[in-house]
Amino acid sequence: MEQYETLSPPQLAAIQRTMTNGRGALARRSLLRAAGLGAVATAGLTGLTGCGIPAAGGQKDAAATTEDHSGSEKTVNFSNWTEYIDVTDDGKHRPTLDAFGKRTGINVKYTEDINDNVEFFGKVKPQLAAGQDTGRDLMVLTDWLAGRMIRLGWVQKLDASNLPHAYANLEQRFRSPDWDPGRAYSYPWTGIATVIAYNKKATNGRKVTSVSQLLDDPALKGRVGMLTEMRDTVGMTLMDMGKNPASFTDDDFDAAIARVQKGVDSKQIRRFTGNDYTADLSKGDMAACLAWAGDLVQLKIDNPDIEYVFPDAGYLSSTDNLVIPNKARHKKNAERLIDYYYEPPVAAQLAAYINYVCPVAGVRDELAKIDPALAANTLILPDAAMTAKTHSFRLLSSAEETAYEQKFSKLIGA
C-alpha cells in the first residue's frame, strides 16, 4: 500500500495564514511570500484535508531515465514568480534572458505562473506524482518546498559539468543547506533575510537593535510588531535567547514561545502581521517590528525615516531556488541557464533590478558599475560581519510541525 503524508489542522491553519496575510499574500519584488511549512500542501485548502502526498517511490529512477531533448530542441521552459526578473521600462523585454538567447541560440519560454508555493505545488503535483512531464524545465521554489520536493524524489540531480560558474561563484554560506547538502539538486535564485526595522521618527531617534528591545523596552510598548510566520518570529527570538534556530530543542521552542507570550500579555506587542506591517511602520503607528529585508529597499526610498538592523544575535536567512523537475525535456538547457545567472555581470544586472540578496560571489564590482549605492546596500550584498550573523531555521518533522504550529497559533490568536 502506498504511503501518504497528511496535513494536520495546525499545518492547514498555518498555510491559510501564510496565504491570506503572511508571505504567501505578498507581491513580488518589494514584498515576499510563503515562508514555508514543513508539510507540503496541494492545490487548495479545500482539497488539502482529504489528500496526501505520495512518497517518492520510484520517481528518482524515473528521473534518471528521462530523455533529454536539449540537443535537438533549443528551448527551455522557465516558471518563476511575478516581477522577479529584470525587465525594460516598457515591460516588453527581459534583457538578461534576451542576451542568453542571443548567445546560446536557446529560446527561453518564460512564464510568471508562480504566485504562491502552495498554489503552485497544486499545479504540478498531479504530473509529478504520476511520473509525468510538467511542461516545465526550470522552476523557482522557496527552500522549504524545494527541500520537500527533493525528499519526495520529484526533482533531478544536477550535472556539475554544466554548471562551472555556479559551482565556482556560489557564496559560501549558501553552499550546503540541510535540505540539499552540497547543492546537488538546487541553486539559489535569491536570498531572503528577516531583520529588525524601525521608524526613527516614531522612536524619537532611538535605535532598535534587538528582539529583547522589541519585547522589553517600555518606550516601545504597544507599538511593536512581530510576524505571523512561525519560523521568523520564533527563529529571531531563539537567536536573541542565545539559541541556534538550526539546532534547537523542544524545550528551546517552548521557551521562545513563552518569551513572546510575555510580550503579548504585557501588551508590548501591538499585533502580529504579514506584509501589512509596511503601512503601519511608514505611518509610525508601529515604531519597530520584525521585517523582511526585501520590503525595505523600496520602503526606505519612500520614507527615509525607516531604518533596519541586522541584530548582533543573528538573523534568519532563506532562499528561493532553481530546480529542474522530473521528466523535464530540456535538462541541459536548463542547467546552462542556471549557470548563466552565476556569471557576475549577469547576476549584477538581476540584483540591480529585483533588490534581493544576491547569492553570487564576486558580484560587487559588477553591481557598482550599474549603481554604486546598490553595491553598498547590505540588504542586497550583506557584508562579512552581517554574513557571519545569518542562520537558517532547521527542517521539521511532520510531528514537530504540527506541535509547533499549534503552539504558535495559540500565541498569536490565529
Side-chain angles (χ1 to χ4, degrees):
M1 181 177 178
E2 193 170 27
Q3 296 299 309
Y4 286 83
E5 294 178 11
T6 57
L7 297 173
S8 65
Q11 290 168 336
L12 291 169
I15 291 171
Q16 187 165 29
R17 192 168 64 242
T18 268
M19 293 177 71
T20 54
N21 77 335
R23 289 187 188 172
L26 312 185
R28 285 312 314 170
R29 198 155 177 243
S30 64
L31 300 173
L32 300 175
R33 73 274 151 241
L37 303 169
V40 173
T42 53
L45 292 176
T46 56
L48 285 170
T49 54
C51 297
I53 302 165
Q59 294 305 311
K60 290 185 179 180
D61 293 335
T65 60
T66 300
E67 183 179 356
D68 190 354
H69 298 267
S70 293
S72 59
E73 298 175 4
K74 295 295 183 181
T75 189
V76 59
N77 298 300
F78 184 8
S79 284
N80 204 349
W81 300 76
T82 58
E83 297 186 75
Y84 212 18
I85 200 168
D86 54 310
V87 298
T88 53
D89 290 341
D90 60 10
K92 295 182 178 180
H93 297 281
R94 300 180 178 93
T96 55
L97 289 183
D98 291 347
F100 175 79
K102 185 175 181 180
R103 181 202 294 184
T104 64
I106 297 171
N107 176 41
V108 180
K109 296 180 180 178
Y110 185 81
T111 306
E112 294 181 334
D113 62 344
I114 307 178
N115 297 303
D116 172 80
N117 283 293
V118 171
E119 179 187 42
F120 183 72
F121 186 78
K123 294 179 183 179
V124 299
K125 174 185 176 289
Q127 296 99 322
L128 291 169
Q132 298 171 353
D133 181 12
T134 65
R136 299 167 177 87
D137 302 305
L138 192 62
M139 25 192 213
V140 178
L141 305 178
T142 303
D143 48 16
W144 68 271
L145 180 54
R148 185 53 62 94
M149 294 267 281
I150 291 167
R151 192 191 61 73
L152 289 169
W154 288 354
V155 297
Q156 299 193 52
K157 191 171 184 178
L158 300 173
D159 185 344
S161 68
N162 295 325
L163 297 159
H165 295 97
Y167 182 81
N169 295 332
L170 178 61
E171 281 277 7
Q172 187 62 41
R173 68 188 178 100
F174 294 109
R175 283 188 176 269
S176 195
D178 58 0
W179 51 270
D180 185 16
R183 289 287 180 181
Y185 295 89
S186 68
Y187 270 91
W189 178 247
T190 56
I192 302 165
T194 304
V195 299
I196 291 174
Y198 64 95
N199 184 320
K200 62 185 179 183
K201 185 175 181 180
T203 65
N204 295 316
R206 296 180 63 216
K207 295 180 179 179
V208 181
T209 61
S210 69
V211 172
S212 290
Q213 196 172 352
L214 289 176
L215 294 175
D216 296 328
D217 188 342
L220 301 176
K221 186 172 182 177
R223 298 186 297 153
V224 168
M226 304 292 271
L227 293 167
T228 56
E229 300 290 353
M230 181 264 288
R231 284 164 175 76
D232 294 291
T233 290
V234 174
M236 293 291 282
T237 303
L238 282 167
M239 283 184 283
D240 190 76
M241 297 169 66
K243 303 296 182 179
N244 186 346
S247 59
F248 63 89
T249 65
D250 286 348
D251 287 345
D252 294 333
F253 183 89
D254 289 344
I257 290 289
R259 180 86 175 84
V260 181
Q261 184 68 58
K262 182 180 176 182
V264 173
D265 295 341
S266 68
K267 302 190 184 306
Q268 177 78 4
I269 297 172
R270 179 184 179 89
R271 64 191 184 101
F272 293 85
T273 73
N275 66 303
D276 47 331
Y277 69 79
T278 56
D280 284 356
L281 189 64
S282 289
K283 290 186 296 184
D285 291 342
M286 192 175 284
C289 63
L290 294 181
W292 295 309
D295 296 352
L296 301 178
V297 175
Q298 186 62 48
L299 196 63
K300 188 170 171 58
I301 292 172
D302 296 339
N303 184 346
D305 287 329
I306 303 300
E307 299 289 350
Y308 63 89
V309 171
F310 292 82
D312 288 340
Y315 67 96
L316 280 179
S317 178
S318 57
T319 51
D320 283 335
N321 307 274
L322 296 154
V323 297
I324 299 174
N326 283 0
K327 295 294 183 178
R329 287 180 62 87
H330 312 106
K331 181 174 183 286
K332 184 174 181 180
N333 291 345
E335 288 168 339
R336 291 182 68 182
L337 185 58
I338 295 172
D339 195 60
Y340 169 74
Y341 277 102
Y342 274 79
E343 297 178 20
V346 180
Q349 191 170 346
L350 178 65
Y353 187 82
I354 65 174
N355 297 161
Y356 284 90
V357 175
C358 181
V360 180
V363 78
R364 188 179 303 277
D365 289 345
E366 296 294 337
L367 190 55
K369 294 175 185 177
I370 299 171
D371 186 339
L374 291 178
N377 192 323
T378 51
L379 294 177
I380 300 172
L381 296 178
D383 58 25
M386 292 175 183
T387 298
K389 299 177 184 178
T390 186
H391 297 274
S392 298
F393 201 96
R394 70 171 174 83
L395 287 177
L396 301 179
S397 68
S398 183
E400 287 176 324
E401 183 77 34
T402 296
Y404 292 172
E405 285 292 358
Q406 189 169 41
K407 292 174 181 178
F408 187 71
S409 293
K410 183 179 179 180
L411 168 71
I412 68 175

